[in-house]
Amino acid sequence: MPKILYNPDVLKHKPKFYHVENPERVETILNSLKLRGFDDIILIEGKSSIDEVLEIHSKEYVDSIVKLCNDSFNYYDGDTYISNGTLDAALTAFKLAKEAVKLALKEKDLYFALTRPPGHHAGISGRALGAMSNGFCIFNNIAGAAELAKKYMKKVIIIDFDVHHGNGTQEIFWNDENVIHIDFHQKGIYPGTGDVFDIGGEKAEGTKINLPFQSHSTDSDYIFTWNDVVEPILDYFKPSIVLVSAGFDAFINDGLASMDLTETFYRFAGAKLSKYGVVAVLEGGYGMGLKYAPPAFLEGYVKAEDILDTLLDEKYSISPSNDTKLIVENVKRIIEEYLNIF
Ligand SMILES: [Zn+2]
């Protein structure tokens, strides 16, 4: 049974006026998971230390966050607010992601860390790869999890299916050949990075895999791409655990993006990952996706066989767009030179 890692201190990061990234997001997920029978919640006590965060971020950046948290309310940039509970929430989220790794290495299951503020846009010193802002992120939780997982695994695989490109994660591990980062995102929206030709630094070429989709891509586009790109990589490396930057903003009508995914993709992704231990770390998601996608993802994990059979039985017509086929073809051609697995 999947485990949900939680600590109510993540709610202490609070906007002053309405903001799409708010504490209710986590409450919506918790309620919808409970309603669908996923109520195995592990309360994780305490938070990470500043020193742990400094394994990922620069001292100047962390100092600037600490300083801004001393006031009652601030903006780090136009998108990213900081309340006086932000430091506590961000250090708690960082710990939830790392604890999920420890638990997943002990016993195979899906561990879903309910982290906020989100993290995948936060680079070494905040804004990453020329982005205009931190995109609501403070500390990069998935990077903390990956850094810890590296101590136990030769290759760490991060799959980021948040609709925005995980520019912070990509920047942090750009030169790290031991972290494979596969990123599904909508092309042309914030943060504007994630081109198919961005494949990693000199010694890490081929370990950063970017999948920029057109707006209104569907379950078919994502399932086709997973089967053609993600699955061969997982089959080849056979990692004991897989890290997932789990944003749910590619769900239809999210508000911040314009993808058309439904529960079908999240169920499929959960089912495909059921062979592995999974560390899912919450990123974005601002609309109905928060209610429907997380339970679908967990359900996929526990009912993998049924779900994959149903997809076959119904002859689910995987009909990707020509654009998706072209992206997949290009990515495979580019990556093949470095990872000889397709
Ligand atoms: Zn996002």
Side-chain angles (χ1 to χ4, degrees), residues 219 223 251 261-269 296 307 311 316:
D219 295 325
I223 290 172
F251 200 86
L261 298 192
T262 71
E263 288 168 288
T264 302
F265 166 72
Y266 297 96
R267 235 182 246 127
F268 165 88
I307 281 155
L311 281 176
Y316 182 79

Side-chain angles (χ1 to χ4, degrees), residues 232-259:
I233 295 173
L234 292 176
D235 280 350
Y236 181 80
F237 288 106
K238 296 189 175 43
S240 46
I241 62 171
V242 177
L243 274 51
V244 179
S245 255
F248 299 100
D249 39 10
F251 200 86
I252 192 163
N253 295 332
D254 176 71
L256 284 202
S258 40
M259 292 304 222

Side-chain angles (χ1 to χ4, degrees), residues 236-313:
Y236 181 80
F237 288 106
K238 296 189 175 43
S240 46
I241 62 171
V242 177
L243 274 51
V244 179
S245 255
F248 299 100
D249 39 10
F251 200 86
I252 192 163
N253 295 332
D254 176 71
L256 284 202
S258 40
M259 292 304 222
D260 292 347
L261 298 192
T262 71
E263 288 168 288
T264 302
F265 166 72
Y266 297 96
R267 235 182 246 127
F268 165 88
K272 282 288 185 186
L273 289 170
S274 67
K275 281 192 245 175
Y276 310 99
V278 173
V279 169
V281 175
L282 178 64
E283 302 286 359
Y286 307 97
M288 294 306 273
L290 289 178
K291 189 172 167 192
Y292 295 111
F297 184 54
L298 270 56
E299 225 164 70
Y301 192 80
V302 290
K303 295 182 189 161
E305 251 174 67
D306 292 355
I307 281 155
L308 295 173
D309 281 354
T310 312
L311 281 176
L312 282 177
D313 280 355

Side-chain angles (χ1 to χ4, degrees), residues 3-72:
K3 313 277 187 290
I4 298 139
L5 277 66
Y6 180 61
N7 178 326
D9 279 1
V10 300
L11 308 177
K12 288 164 82 176
H13 174 61
K14 275 187 202 159
K16 193 168 189 178
F17 306 104
Y18 177 76
H19 192 287
V20 289
E21 203 299 290
N22 55 57
E24 287 79 47
R25 295 178 56 241
V26 161
E27 289 165 338
T28 301
I29 295 174
L30 268 176
N31 288 336
S32 67
L33 287 174
K34 281 185 197 159
L35 275 174
R36 300 270 280 267
F38 296 108
D39 54 3
D40 199 345
I41 296 165
I42 305 179
L43 282 172
I44 303 289
E45 305 274 340
K47 54 191 181 188
S48 285
S49 65
I50 293 283
D51 279 350
E52 287 175 78
V53 173
L54 289 172
E55 286 181 30
I56 301 294
H57 297 289
S58 70
K59 187 161 184 337
E60 296 71 33
Y61 173 62
V62 176
D63 284 350
S64 72
I65 296 292
V66 172
K67 200 163 166 250
L68 287 169
C69 288
N70 287 334
D71 298 334
S72 65

Side-chain angles (χ1 to χ4, degrees), residues 25-187:
R25 295 178 56 241
V26 161
E27 289 165 338
T28 301
I29 295 174
L30 268 176
N31 288 336
S32 67
L33 287 174
K34 281 185 197 159
L35 275 174
R36 300 270 280 267
F38 296 108
D39 54 3
D40 199 345
I41 296 165
I42 305 179
L43 282 172
I44 303 289
E45 305 274 340
K47 54 191 181 188
S48 285
S49 65
I50 293 283
D51 279 350
E52 287 175 78
V53 173
L54 289 172
E55 286 181 30
I56 301 294
H57 297 289
S58 70
K59 187 161 184 337
E60 296 71 33
Y61 173 62
V62 176
D63 284 350
S64 72
I65 296 292
V66 172
K67 200 163 166 250
L68 287 169
C69 288
N70 287 334
D71 298 334
S72 65
F73 193 81
N74 257 310
Y75 281 95
Y76 178 76
D77 56 45
D79 289 338
T80 315
Y81 64 84
I82 293 191
S83 63
N84 60 4
T86 294
L87 185 62
D88 268 357
L91 291 172
T92 302
F94 204 79
K95 172 150 186 168
L96 291 176
K98 289 180 76 173
E99 288 299 310
V101 171
K102 290 183 194 165
L103 290 169
L105 287 167
K106 256 187 232 155
E107 192 186 349
K108 179 190 164 277
D109 208 329
L110 187 155
Y111 299 86
F112 183 19
L114 291 185
T115 47
R116 69 174 290 279
H120 71 152
H121 297 308
I124 298 164
S125 296
R127 293 172 210 196
L129 306 177
M132 57 182 271
S133 77
N134 264 25
F136 321 155
C137 297
I138 303 295
F139 300 143
N140 196 316
N141 307 309
I142 198 84
E147 203 54 58
L148 176 62
K150 268 170 63 182
K151 298 190 169 106
Y152 303 91
M153 297 162 71
K154 221 172 143 206
K155 293 267 181 205
V156 174
I157 300 182
I158 302 172
I159 300 171
D160 184 329
F161 59 55
D162 184 281
V163 78
H164 303 97
H165 179 235
N167 55 328
T169 312
Q170 183 170 296
E171 186 205 72
I172 290 163
F173 297 114
W174 184 250
N175 292 309
D176 191 335
E177 61 184 326
N178 294 321
V179 177
I180 297 177
H181 172 215
I182 309 168
D183 200 298
F184 291 68
H185 50 273
Q186 183 178 332
K187 190 179 179 169

Side-chain angles (χ1 to χ4, degrees), residues 166-241:
N167 55 328
T169 312
Q170 183 170 296
E171 186 205 72
I172 290 163
F173 297 114
W174 184 250
N175 292 309
D176 191 335
E177 61 184 326
N178 294 321
V179 177
I180 297 177
H181 172 215
I182 309 168
D183 200 298
F184 291 68
H185 50 273
Q186 183 178 332
K187 190 179 179 169
I189 60 170
Y190 173 89
T193 46
D195 191 85
V196 290
F197 289 103
D198 295 338
I199 57 170
E202 213 178 312
K203 286 189 181 131
E205 281 171 321
T207 61
K208 309 297 170 271
I209 297 154
N210 282 304
L211 301 159
F213 291 86
Q214 294 294 343
S215 57
H216 300 294
S217 291
T218 62
D219 295 325
S220 264
D221 294 297
Y222 271 53
I223 290 172
F224 172 80
T225 306
W226 188 292
N227 284 335
D228 253 44
V229 178
V230 180
E231 186 134 24
I233 295 173
L234 292 176
D235 280 350
Y236 181 80
F237 288 106
K238 296 189 175 43
S240 46
I241 62 171

